[in-house]
Amino acid sequence: MPKTYRTLWLWLSTSFRAAPGLMTISAVLVAARAITAPTQTYGVSRLVDGIASDQSSTIALGIGIIIGGLAVSFVADGLGWPLQDTAQERMAGRVHADLLDVTTGIPGLTHHERPDVADRLELVRERAWRMGVGAEVLLWAFATVTNTATVLTLLGSVHPLLLVLPLLGCARIWSAYLSSTRQQKAWEDSLPQERLVDRLIEVAKDPRTGLELRVFGLGKVLLDKIFALQTERFERRVAAARWGGKVDGSVRLVFGLAYAAAIVWVIARARNGQATAGDVVLVLLLAPQVDQMTGGIAQNVYWVGEVVRSFSRYDWLREYAKQNSWRSSATPAPERLTSGIELRNVGFSYPGSESAVLSDISLTLPAGAAVALVGENGAGKTTLVKLLARMYDPTTGSILVDGVDLATIQPDDWRSQLSAGFQDFVKFELTAREVVAIGDVARAGDEDAVHTAILRGDAESVIAGLPHGLDTQLGKKFTDGVELSGGQWQRLALARAFMRERPLLLLLDEPTAALDPEAEHRLYEQYAEAAKVAASETGGITVLVSHRFSTVRMADLIVVMHNGRVEEFGTHPDLLAAGGRYAELFELQARAYR
């Protein structure tokens, strides 16, 4: 199906799927309301002709049309607006639910890394409300078509030449299209500035950044930057709006002069006996209606264009999600590991970047092993963790899980077998119970599981210090919400990682960075104990990223990374004996502690 037809069908189907009954009734009511004004105008012309010719039947017809129009208008207005408002709310709810479903259904992270995709996603998000009013715009468009057909019929009944007037009015449609196109281009061109402004505003109002902003006196710097970006955005958009206003004003002036000439012409025909008094009245009363009609079409062209563009982006997002859904990855994840995870010549570059973050990594993570990744910042450790979680697929090479390519395993099924703790953990501002329980949604209601996870994550002291224990709302943005320190948030994040008791792969990417060395060592003893249990029952692998060598020495396998490559690997004693990079880094850290 061509993209244009697919977009229109998406708009129509979404509107009627959201509220099929309400949309059908509303369509009938808006059509009735749309023909009321021109029909009553025709009734007035019949009444005038009836009075002029003293024909009772014509007078009665005119009065009947006028009264009937009033009745229809009364009923349509009384029922139509509440129904339309309800249909619009249903439509908005449907659109936002669909957007959330589509975006969260994309299994990878590529769309977060590509600026071009991020810009388009921002457009979809920022203009989502325009799709939400799609039901109302659809009804407006239907009403405009109905009204136009009625007005053209009445004008044609006076003289076919008068049909030229609405055609002249079509110039307003053209001007509206040009104006909306230019304004849309201005919006799209200013999206990078808009995203940056939103981010700077978040930084300015975030309590976590408030300390540095004040210490370094960055308030004015941020405000100046935001003001400069806003000014650039507004100048671009105002220039587009000003251009559109000039074009529309010129077109309306030409149309008004043409309609004035038409009225003079009809009056002249009536004086010559070629038209009736009712015809003159009809043309006079239709003049503002034609202007309203063309203005309505022009307005609808703008809004229809906006809605179509929004649904076009939404259609793009759906197609993008479909193409990046990894639907071909249908192999179920294993219940246990027997041989382990093997990386064969794995290389990776982030989307939009030509430089490789990982290069030619060949490595085996044995089933049941605790593996530590060490190396300086930027060595590629976190990227390797993301590949193991299949947030991305390798650019080159492959990752095999018990001999099966990870790229063929269903991503959600694989991740259901994982657990993780990260340095950049999320501060979920929920109740303390929920913050921990969401580590395993399937067991979120299991109180014993939550308490066990808290114990294993060494977070009992955090819960004990909360005014309402596990039922305490976290986050100062909420009434009675409690803010935690970085270390307390991290302990809850660690407890969350312990909710899944027997993961096939436990990923720990510096999850204790905010804790003191003693607390970290105690926690890693917990992790080591859990890893042994998981190894014996499921062959589970624990992957630990840390800069503290006192911790990684307990690992079964230590992998030293440098510039995106594996430089050496082995046990702690073997690597010390080898005298390579690991031994050098270990000695530097040990000397600092001494």
Side-chain angles (χ1 to χ4, degrees), residues 357-358 361 363 365 370-385 388 508-511 520 524 542-572 575-576 580-587 589:
V357 181
L358 300 176
I361 292 182
L363 181 69
L365 312 181
V371 180
L373 303 179
V374 299
E376 68 274 16
N377 290 333
K381 305 184 296 297
T382 296
T383 299
L384 184 55
V385 167
L388 291 172
L508 304 172
D509 189 357
E510 300 193 62
E520 181 190 55
Y524 277 126
T542 299
V543 175
L544 165 67
V545 177
S546 178
H547 285 97
R548 290 174 181 167
F549 288 85
S550 59
T551 299
V552 303
R553 64 191 299 175
M554 68 179 68
D556 301 313
L557 176 67
I558 300 172
V559 179
V560 183
M561 299 187 67
H562 179 65
N563 290 336
R565 297 178 181 271
V566 173
E567 188 162 298
E568 54 184 344
F569 60 88
T571 63
H572 175 72
L575 291 174
L576 284 183
R581 183 176 296 274
Y582 179 83
E584 179 184 346
L585 293 173
F586 182 83
E587 178 58 30
Q589 196 167 105

Side-chain angles (χ1 to χ4, degrees), residues 249-445:
S250 301
V251 169
R252 291 195 71 178
L253 177 61
V254 172
F255 173 74
L257 293 174
Y259 215 103
I263 292 174
V264 172
W265 178 68
V266 172
I267 291 174
R269 282 175 55 83
R271 293 186 64 182
N272 293 331
Q274 296 173 304
T276 67
D279 291 338
V280 175
V281 170
L282 182 63
V283 174
L284 281 170
L285 294 180
L286 282 179
Q289 292 184 37
V290 171
D291 184 63
Q292 291 172 10
M293 178 193 76
T294 53
I297 293 175
Q299 185 181 34
N300 279 337
V301 164
Y302 172 79
W303 280 106
V304 167
E306 287 294 292
V307 173
V308 167
R309 276 187 287 269
S310 295
F311 271 99
S312 178
R313 298 184 199 103
Y314 178 38
D315 178 65
W316 166 84
L317 176 60
R318 287 161 56 99
E319 288 299 307
Y320 178 87
K322 188 184 300 182
Q323 293 166 9
N324 293 271
S325 63
W326 295 343
R327 290 185 178 183
S328 60
S329 304
T331 305
E335 294 294 327
R336 60 176 294 114
L337 294 176
T338 54
S339 60
I341 299 175
E342 180 185 359
L343 290 87
R344 289 185 182 173
N345 307 115
V346 168
F348 180 74
S349 299
Y350 280 101
S353 173
E354 296 180 359
S355 59
V357 181
L358 300 176
S359 301
D360 196 28
I361 292 182
S362 294
L363 181 69
T364 297
L365 312 181
V371 180
L373 303 179
V374 299
E376 68 274 16
N377 290 333
K381 305 184 296 297
T382 296
T383 299
L384 184 55
V385 167
K386 290 178 181 178
L387 292 182
L388 291 172
R390 207 191 168 194
M391 297 300 167
Y392 304 94
D393 283 333
T395 306
T396 59
S398 58
I399 300 174
L400 305 179
V401 179
D402 278 353
V404 178
D405 194 337
L406 180 58
T408 67
I409 296 177
Q410 209 284 327
D412 289 339
D413 197 28
W414 172 244
R415 289 172 194 161
S416 70
Q417 302 281 13
L418 311 182
S419 192
F422 301 104
Q423 178 180 3
D424 296 326
F425 54 85
V426 179
K427 296 180 179 180
F428 292 104
E429 295 188 339
L430 307 168
T431 65
R433 175 183 283 100
E434 292 169 328
V435 167
V436 175
I438 58 177
D440 190 352
V441 177
R443 298 195 304 153

Side-chain angles (χ1 to χ4, degrees), residues 181-200:
T181 301
R182 179 164 291 207
Q183 290 185 51
Q184 178 62 29
K185 181 69 166 52
W187 272 94
E188 292 181 357
D189 289 346
S190 63
L191 267 179
Q193 293 94 333
E194 186 165 349
R195 286 198 294 125
L196 183 54
V197 165
D198 289 343
R199 178 58 186 147
L200 292 176

Side-chain angles (χ1 to χ4, degrees), residues 115-128:
D116 58 329
V117 175
D119 279 346
R120 299 193 73 170
L121 284 174
E122 175 65 16
L123 264 177
V124 173
R125 183 198 65 79
E126 193 270 332
R127 297 296 180 91

